[in-house]
């Protein structure tokens, strides 16, 4: 009995040790955790590990195999001790209980038609077109977006507020950090999804995990043949119903002494509340022997196969928004802007938006990315932003290079170091210097040197490869000229261009990343010194 009483505290302690580092990799505002470490922390999750292993088979990416073996051994413990969204739901349920929002759970038939249909469709779409459905359903990605775009700004604001207060007392061990904003549309989408999941957790327990989540359904299928399962000892059970009322998965039917182990997430709440200690976690072969004996005695045993027959129809709750494009534009930018008459500007519209360096091509990136937003939260320049319709409806929430928000640093490879799914490959600095994610375009009619006769040159000053050079213009002014062979499409020129609404410099993304030429180094001219007599 002491072993059974230890199960729930061990589960809670394990969940705490997992949720803290997984959360910190998304809102580590000071960058204490290296991007490569954040990546390996993310690889403890099922979907990122599976996808990375598919793209690059290696032992570090094979943790999903361990999760499957763990499930085969003892059921869906992943959902309670490793999945951050599952742990978060448990936390919300606990907080609701402490606030007096008490929910009495009841046994509910499994919505097998919905759960297996979602799993089948997710598998089929991944085989045919990549992660288009996993973007919306992967529990790690859902939690990652919530942490990156809801929690991260709140943590940053609290830090900045505390820093300003401490500075009044000459305490400077903290400092202000720029707040990263996503577009209103993305925040709205994330808020709707997370609100649905949280309300379900408060009033319906693990409804999302046992109805919508494809990982939960897959592990549930495996857990039906687990070696160790929760079992109700019908001889000692007094049918008080406490186990059913505390089961957040709604998988315990105390009247029949049945536990649908395919939906059990091994929270062990039932073990702790059972007054007779009738619920035990033991070798499933013993359970089968007991059921066989009691079936011969005339009892009606409800099995998993029977429960699938009584599954009723249910509707899959989902909200797909196709909002208008609202790119993020930090309000605290101190750059001087030149607002010109729109009618006098030459208009343009980007057809292709650049994907992160290391993603090879936009198509490959869209197929592999689950939009977990880890690369966005780790990006030091904030150039990576979640897309709305930049990639089309199939790429919603996947990161793209938004040169309104920032530009891609010449020596930065953080996104490839952090990406857990393999959508952004790990590259070295020398490779980064020649990856051409797009092409810069110069519109002379929008340049303030041409329209206002004002000297500028900001684009040339910020170009890391010196692909932009200033050439003579009228009245001793200089105007930009682009060398496309060494331009890498980093977006520095577009980001710093002061003209609005249509800039004189803009970057058109490349469908497939190419290689740029390395900028030629200027030869140093050596002047021989003459021997002077003094």
């Amino acid at each position: 009995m002491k072993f059974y009483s230890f199960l729930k505290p061990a589960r809670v302690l394990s969940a705490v040790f997992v949720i803290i580092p997984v959360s910190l990799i998304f809102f580590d505002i000071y960058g204490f955790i290296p991007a490569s470490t954040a990546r390996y922390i993310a690889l403890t999750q099922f979907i990122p590990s599976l996808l990375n292993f598919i793209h690059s088979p290696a032992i570090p990416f094979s943790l999903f195999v361990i999760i499957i073996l763990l499930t085969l051994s003892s059921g869906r413990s992943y959902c309670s001790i490793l999945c951050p969204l599952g742990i978060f739901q448990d936390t919300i349920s606990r907080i609701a209980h402490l606030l007096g929002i008490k929910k009495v759970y009841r046994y509910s038939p499994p919505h097998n038609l919905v759960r297996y249909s979602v799993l089948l469709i997710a598998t089929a779409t991944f085989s045919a077109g990549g992660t288009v459905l996993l973007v919306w359903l992967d529990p790690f990605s859902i939690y990652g977006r919530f942490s990156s775009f809801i929690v991260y700004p709140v943590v940053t604001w609290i830090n900045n507020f505390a820093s300003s207060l401490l500075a009044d007392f000459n305490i400077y061990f903290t400092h202000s950090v720029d707040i990263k904003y996503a577009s209103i549309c993305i925040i709205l989408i994330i808020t709707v999804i997370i609100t649905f999941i949280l309300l379900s957790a408060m009033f319906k327990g693990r409804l999302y995990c046992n109805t919508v989540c494809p990982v939960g359904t897959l592990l549930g299928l495996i857990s039906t043949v687990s070696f160790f399962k929760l079992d109700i000892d019908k001889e000692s059970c007094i049918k008080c119903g406490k186990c059913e009322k505390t089961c957040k998965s709604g998988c315990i039917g105390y009247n029949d002494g049945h536990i649908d182990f395919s939906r059990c997430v091994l929270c062990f709440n039932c073990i702790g509340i059972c007054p007779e200690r009738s619920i035990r976690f033991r070798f499933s072969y013993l359970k089968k022997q007991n059921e066989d004996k009691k079936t011969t005695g005339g009892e009606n045993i409800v099995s998993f196969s029977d429960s699938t027959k009584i599954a009723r129809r249910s509707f899959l709750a989902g909200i797909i928004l196709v909002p208008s494009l609202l790119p993020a534009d930090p309000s605290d930018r101190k750059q001087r802007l030149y607002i010109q008459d729109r009618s006098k500007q030459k208009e343009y519209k980007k057809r292709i938006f650049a994907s992160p360096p290391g993603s090879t091509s936009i198509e490959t990136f869209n197929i592999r990315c689950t939009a977990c937003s880890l690369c966005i939260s780790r990006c030091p320049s904030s150039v990576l932003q979640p897309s709305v319709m930049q990639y089309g409806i199939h790429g919603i929430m996947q990161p793209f290079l938004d040169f309104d928000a920032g530009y891609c640093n010449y020596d930065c490879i953080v996104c490839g170091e952090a990406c857990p799914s393999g959508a952004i490959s790990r590259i070295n600095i020398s490779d980064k210097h020649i990856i051409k994610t797009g092409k810069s375009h110069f519109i002379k009619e929008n340049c303030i040197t041409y329209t206002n006769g004002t000297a500028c040159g900001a684009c040339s000053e910020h170009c890391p490869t010196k692909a932009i050079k200033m050439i003579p213009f009228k009245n001793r002014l200089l105007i930009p000229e682009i060398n496309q062979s060494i331009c890498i499409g980093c977006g520095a020129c577009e980001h710093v261009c002061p003209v609005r609404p249509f800039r004189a410099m803009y970057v058109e993304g490349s469908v497939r990343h190419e290689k740029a030429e390395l900028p030629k180094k200027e030869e140093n001219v050596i002047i021989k010194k003459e021997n002077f007599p003094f």
Side-chain angles (χ1 to χ4, degrees):
M1 285 306 168
K2 290 183 179 180
F3 169 74
Y4 292 135
S5 62
F6 177 72
L7 288 175
K8 182 178 178 179
R11 188 266 300 175
V12 173
L13 188 62
S14 300
V16 171
F17 277 110
V18 168
I19 194 66
I20 291 177
V22 171
S23 299
L24 284 178
I25 64 175
F26 289 103
F27 46 85
D28 175 22
I29 60 176
Y30 288 131
F32 291 135
I33 303 175
S36 56
T37 303
R39 178 180 186 231
Y40 286 111
I41 292 175
L43 285 173
T44 60
Q45 304 304 308
F46 188 86
I47 293 294
S49 175
L50 174 63
L51 294 182
N52 217 325
F53 186 84
I54 291 174
H55 303 144
S56 304
I59 293 178
F61 309 145
S62 59
L63 188 65
F64 74 97
V65 177
I66 298 177
I67 295 174
I68 291 175
L69 293 177
L70 180 64
T71 306
L72 186 62
S73 171
S74 55
R76 289 172 55 181
S77 53
Y78 168 84
C79 300
S80 285
I81 64 175
L82 280 178
C83 177
L85 189 63
I87 299 172
F88 184 57
Q89 290 180 78
D90 289 344
T91 304
I92 294 300
S93 298
R94 183 59 181 170
I95 293 174
H97 179 76
L98 294 176
L99 293 177
I101 306 175
K102 297 182 180 180
K103 176 62 181 176
V104 178
Y105 300 110
R106 291 284 187 268
Y107 175 82
S108 61
H111 304 296
N112 289 329
L113 177 63
V114 175
R115 58 200 293 228
Y116 294 130
S117 295
V118 171
L119 176 61
L120 181 62
I121 294 172
T123 305
T125 54
F126 175 73
S127 302
T131 60
V132 61
L133 191 57
L134 290 180
V135 166
W136 298 90
L137 299 179
D138 173 33
F140 174 72
S141 298
I142 293 174
Y143 184 79
R145 291 190 293 269
F146 169 71
S147 300
S148 299
F149 305 128
I150 304 296
V151 180
Y152 186 99
V154 174
V155 172
T156 308
W157 184 88
I158 293 174
N159 170 80
N160 294 348
F161 179 74
S163 298
S164 62
L165 288 180
L166 293 174
D168 295 337
F169 298 95
N170 296 324
I171 301 175
Y172 300 101
F173 66 87
T174 62
H175 60 84
S176 296
V177 180
D178 291 337
I179 299 178
K180 296 182 180 181
Y181 297 101
S183 69
I184 298 299
C185 294
I186 293 297
I187 293 177
L188 178 61
I189 293 173
I190 296 169
T191 301
V192 170
I193 293 174
I194 203 69
T195 300
F196 166 74
I197 294 175
L198 294 186
L199 290 177
S200 299
M202 290 176 64
F203 300 104
K204 293 293 183 179
R206 290 295 193 97
L207 177 65
Y208 173 83
C209 304
N210 285 325
T211 307
V212 181
C213 179
V215 178
T217 302
L218 175 62
L219 298 182
L221 278 174
I222 299 173
S223 66
T224 58
V225 292
S226 295
F227 297 133
F228 290 89
K229 295 181 180 180
L230 282 175
D231 173 36
I232 298 178
D233 183 9
K234 296 180 181 179
E235 293 183 356
S236 61
C237 178
I238 59 175
K239 299 188 183 301
C240 64
K242 290 184 177 181
C243 55
E244 180 178 309
K245 294 176 182 178
T246 195
C247 179
K248 65 185 71 173
S249 296
C251 63
I252 299 179
Y254 76 94
N255 282 328
D256 300 314
H258 165 64
I259 299 178
D260 182 357
F261 202 63
S262 70
R263 291 184 290 154
C264 177
V265 295
L266 291 180
C267 65
F268 299 119
N269 290 343
C270 54
I271 288 182
I273 203 170
C274 180
E276 300 296 326
R277 299 293 189 266
S278 300
I279 301 179
R280 300 173 184 178
F281 188 56
R282 57 186 177 181
F283 191 51
S284 58
Y285 179 73
L286 297 177
K287 175 184 175 181
K288 184 177 180 181
Q289 280 187 328
N290 293 335
E291 287 181 349
D292 291 340
K293 290 179 181 180
K294 293 184 179 181
T295 302
T296 57
E299 291 192 17
N300 182 21
I301 305 299
V302 180
S303 63
F304 174 74
S305 59
D306 293 329
S307 65
T308 58
K309 297 179 181 179
I310 61 174
R312 60 187 179 186
R313 292 184 178 182
S314 178
F315 294 97
L316 176 61
I319 299 177
I320 300 178
L321 302 178
V322 187
S324 59
L325 177 62
L326 289 175
D329 192 2
S331 58
D332 57 347
R333 188 181 299 170
K334 297 180 180 179
Q335 178 184 1
R336 182 182 177 184
L337 303 180
Y338 289 82
I339 309 299
Q340 296 184 354
D341 185 357
R342 186 182 184 123
S343 62
K344 295 181 180 180
Q345 281 196 301
K346 187 173 181 180
E347 298 184 9
Y348 60 86
K349 184 177 181 180
K350 289 187 180 182
R351 296 171 301 168
I352 303 171
F353 290 84
S355 61
S359 58
T360 308
S361 69
I362 293 178
E363 181 181 4
T364 302
F365 180 66
N366 292 153
I367 289 175
R368 295 182 176 183
C369 178
T370 62
C372 71
S373 302
L374 183 57
C375 60
I376 296 177
S377 64
R378 309 293 301 189
C379 180
S381 65
S382 300
V383 67
L384 288 180
Q385 293 292 323
S387 67
V388 181
M389 289 296 291
Q390 283 82 358
Y391 294 134
I393 192 171
H394 59 281
I396 293 178
M397 294 185 290
Q398 292 180 344
F400 76 104
L401 297 179
D402 182 2
F403 302 125
D404 283 343
Y407 61 91
C408 191
N409 291 338
Y410 190 56
D411 293 322
C412 178
I413 54 174
V414 168
C415 56
E417 293 284 333
C419 179
S421 69
I424 307 175
S425 301
R426 301 180 74 176
I427 55 177
N428 54 44
I429 296 294
S430 59
D431 290 335
K432 169 67 182 298
H433 289 172
I434 59 174
I435 291 179
K436 199 179 188 73
T437 58
K439 293 182 179 180
S440 296
H441 297 273
F442 173 55
I443 303 177
K444 182 176 65 175
E445 293 79 2
N446 294 348
C447 182
I448 61 173
T449 302
Y450 179 85
T451 59
N452 298 2
T454 303
C456 182
C459 53
S460 177
E461 292 175 3
H462 286 80
C463 179
T465 63
K466 300 305 175 185
I468 301 175
K469 290 189 176 182
M470 305 302 291
I471 60 174
F473 190 57
K474 59 184 179 180
N475 298 329
R476 297 184 180 181
L477 295 173
L478 299 176
I479 202 164
E481 182 182 62
I482 304 174
N483 181 357
Q484 293 290 355
S485 64
I486 60 175
C487 174
I488 59 174
C490 67
C493 57
E494 178 180 339
H495 179 67
V496 300
C497 181
V499 184
R500 299 294 186 274
F502 294 98
R503 308 183 192 205
M505 286 284 181
Y506 77 95
V507 176
E508 187 80 16
S510 298
V511 174
R512 178 170 290 276
H513 294 178
E514 302 171 355
K515 286 187 177 181
E517 297 178 7
L518 284 171
K520 295 180 180 180
K521 295 182 179 180
E522 296 182 358
E523 296 182 358
N524 296 324
V525 179
I526 301 175
I527 302 175
K528 293 183 180 181
K529 295 182 180 180
E530 297 181 0
N531 293 324
F532 291 96
F534 55 85

